[in-house]
Amino acid sequence: MTISNPPAQAGPWSKNPSGAVHAWIGFKGKKFPCGGYKPGPVTTYKAGEVIPVRFWNFNVKNYKKFPPPGGLPQARHGGGACEFSLSMDSGKTWKVIGQYTKTCPDLYYEWPVMIPKNVPSCKDSNKCLFSWSWTAFATNQFYHACANIIIEGAAGGKLPALDMTVVDVKGFKSGLHALGDKKKGKSSGPDRRERDLNLAGYFANGGQAGTHGFDLGIVS
């Protein structure tokens, strides 16, 4: 699984596609962060803009069409915890701007994530990254996909305080997974409360998320 909106590095829409773009960090040497891939397509966003994040895997033959045909195998691994984060230093540090738990990811839904209204500008698309990370339920695997972006931000803006959660990656805690919905097929989509908080500035610098955010349900 990876993200198609915004278009992630190494997807079929990229100049440097990879057959492992859907796989977890550590698969055949896949590196953290971002899989170690080369930069991909660049998308420009404004502070306060909502990104309707979409997911993709190799069973989706036409990534431009949404939603995909029904009944496709997803390899959701029973859902888990998804985080959406920004980096402005080429992936050295990550600050969370959105979270969804248990039902995420799923190919058949859009997952709204707002670029906080008070983030700073980031004009260098090699340094400015949007990422999706996923701690799965049914397997101790961590997924991380990145998209190159540009942000037209706020004067004097600041990134959020919440750091991205990383597990089951070399150098981090291992043997962990996140609570999920335990479904193999289609989920119920984004939780309404979580969606509303994602769109209400919860994760912005000074927002209620602070340094804790949602309970991701990560257990051993």
Side-chain angles (χ1 to χ4, degrees):
M1 192 86 75
T2 189
I3 51 173
S4 59
N5 187 50
Q9 298 170 352
W13 41 78
S14 172
K15 292 181 179 179
N16 300 285
S18 169
V21 67
H22 66 298
W24 63 95
I25 298 298
F27 175 79
K28 294 185 177 180
K30 189 172 177 179
K31 299 177 181 179
F32 177 81
C34 305
Y37 295 130
K38 293 180 179 180
V42 178
T43 309
T44 298
Y45 295 106
K46 294 181 179 180
E49 187 171 348
V50 175
I51 304 174
V53 176
R54 295 176 181 175
F55 294 105
W56 175 91
N57 67 21
F58 283 104
N59 294 306
V60 179
K61 303 306 178 184
N62 183 358
Y63 61 82
K64 295 180 180 180
K65 186 177 181 180
F66 183 83
L72 295 178
Q74 294 204 58
R76 291 185 58 247
H77 301 313
C82 291
E83 290 191 311
F84 304 88
S85 306
L86 294 178
S87 175
M88 294 188 176
D89 56 11
S90 302
K92 294 181 179 67
T93 60
W94 295 93
K95 296 297 183 179
V96 175
I97 61 169
Q99 295 175 324
Y100 287 101
T101 66
K102 295 186 177 180
T103 59
C104 186
D106 193 298
L107 297 172
Y108 292 100
Y109 298 93
E110 292 182 330
W111 302 79
V113 176
M114 186 174 74
I115 302 287
K117 295 178 181 179
N118 59 351
V119 296
S121 292
C122 188
K123 302 296 187 180
D124 186 344
S125 63
N126 289 317
K127 293 183 177 180
C128 193
L129 301 167
F130 173 93
S131 85
W132 159 68
S133 53
W134 172 34
T135 304
F137 164 71
T139 181
N140 296 340
Q141 294 174 347
F142 182 82
Y143 295 72
H144 192 234
C146 302
N148 295 86
I149 63 171
I150 289 171
I151 296 178
E152 298 174 2
K158 294 182 179 181
L159 286 169
L162 180 60
D163 292 323
M164 184 175 72
T165 299
V166 184
V167 299
D168 298 317
V169 171
K170 186 177 181 179
F172 296 86
K173 291 183 179 180
S174 61
L176 302 175
H177 66 276
L179 299 178
D181 60 9
K182 303 181 182 180
K183 293 182 179 180
K184 292 183 178 180
K186 187 177 180 181
S187 76
S188 57
D191 176 81
R192 181 178 296 179
R193 174 181 173 274
E194 292 180 348
R195 181 194 62 200
D196 290 347
L197 287 171
N198 272 293
L199 299 179
Y202 180 81
F203 292 97
N205 187 286
Q208 292 180 325
T211 58
H212 52 82
F214 299 157
D215 180 359
L216 299 180
I218 296 178
V219 296
S220 59

